[in-house]
């Protein structure tokens, strides 16, 4: 790339730097920079999935209390995916390792960088595991898990899962 640019500069200025040639060089250079910036800004804006919360200040007011209550549950959430059966599993266990039955399980599965592939699979509890049918293409996926404990405590966690095939 540098050799190409150097050859272009030599071609433009081999007979000396004149006003029109220098002007054309400056317009072309800054035109290229502006075109790249506009393209990058468009790409960033068109793939932005949105905000996590509507008002971060309001959400921060109860963050410490919510986090303490969630840690007190002692839950561990482990995702897994079986591509052959298109089965997405969530194992939720308590501090003793026993399966947890939750209320109002809601999971949003999507790509970390864009919202067009977001889905909300319906999970069914069977044999100590929450299972849903979801066709996930290879690559990195994220899961926003939200559930309520039997005592009403809200549990939220964001998990990453990498699908290989």
């Amino acid at each position: 790339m540098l050799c190409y640019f150097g050859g272009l500069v030599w071609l433009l200025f081999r007979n000396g730097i004149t006003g029109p040639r220098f002007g054309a060089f400056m317009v072309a250079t800054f035109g290229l920079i502006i075109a790249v910036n506009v393209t990058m800004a468009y790409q960033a804006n068109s793939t932005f999935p949105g905000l996590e919360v509507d008002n971060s200040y309001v959400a921060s007011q109860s963050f410490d209390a919510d986090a303490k209550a969630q840690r007190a549950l002692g839950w561990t959430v482990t995702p897994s995916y079986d591509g052959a059966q298109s089965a997405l599993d969530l194992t939720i266990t308590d501090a003793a390792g026993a399966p947890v039955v939750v209320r109002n399980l809601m999971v949003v599965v999507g790509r970390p960088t864009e919202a067009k592939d977001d889905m909300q699979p319906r999970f069914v509890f069977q044999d100590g595991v929450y299972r849903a049918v979801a066709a996930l293409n290879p690559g990195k996926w994220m899961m926003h898990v939200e559930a309520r404990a039997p005592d009403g405590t809200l549990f939220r966690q964001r998990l990453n899962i990498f699908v290989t095939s």
Side-chain angles (χ1 to χ4, degrees):
M1 178 74 176
L2 189 58
C3 292
Y4 174 74
F5 185 71
L8 183 62
V9 169
W10 177 83
L11 187 63
L12 282 174
F13 301 127
R14 68 177 180 244
N15 295 330
I17 299 175
T18 62
R21 286 188 179 162
F22 185 73
F25 175 75
M26 293 303 291
V27 167
T29 300
F30 283 106
L32 176 65
I33 291 170
I34 291 169
V36 168
N37 284 336
V38 167
T39 301
M40 297 301 281
Y42 173 77
Q43 290 294 326
N45 192 38
S46 67
T47 60
F48 182 63
L51 300 174
E52 293 287 328
V53 293
D54 292 330
N55 187 328
S56 59
Y57 176 75
V58 171
S60 72
Q61 299 304 299
S62 63
F63 179 82
D64 289 335
D66 293 344
K68 184 178 179 182
Q70 184 169 314
R71 279 193 302 271
L73 293 172
W75 290 0
T76 302
V77 181
T78 308
S80 62
Y81 182 71
D82 181 1
Q85 297 181 3
S86 295
L88 181 60
D89 292 344
L90 275 179
T91 304
I92 304 175
T93 56
D94 61 13
V100 175
V101 178
V102 301
R103 296 182 352 206
N104 304 335
L105 177 64
M106 186 192 74
V107 180
V108 176
V109 180
R111 297 286 190 179
T113 56
E114 56 192 6
K116 72 175 184 170
D117 294 328
D118 284 5
M119 63 181 98
Q120 282 186 296
R122 185 175 165 271
F123 283 85
V124 177
F125 186 72
Q126 61 186 38
D127 300 326
V129 176
Y130 290 91
R131 176 168 280 195
V133 175
L136 303 179
N137 293 325
K140 187 173 184 177
W141 292 83
M142 69 169 185
M143 302 171 63
H144 286 279
V145 178
E146 187 173 302
R148 289 218 177 258
D151 66 359
T153 304
L154 181 62
F155 179 87
R156 289 185 186 146
Q157 191 170 17
R158 178 180 165 166
L159 304 164
N160 290 320
I161 186 167
F162 193 80
V163 176
T164 55
S165 59

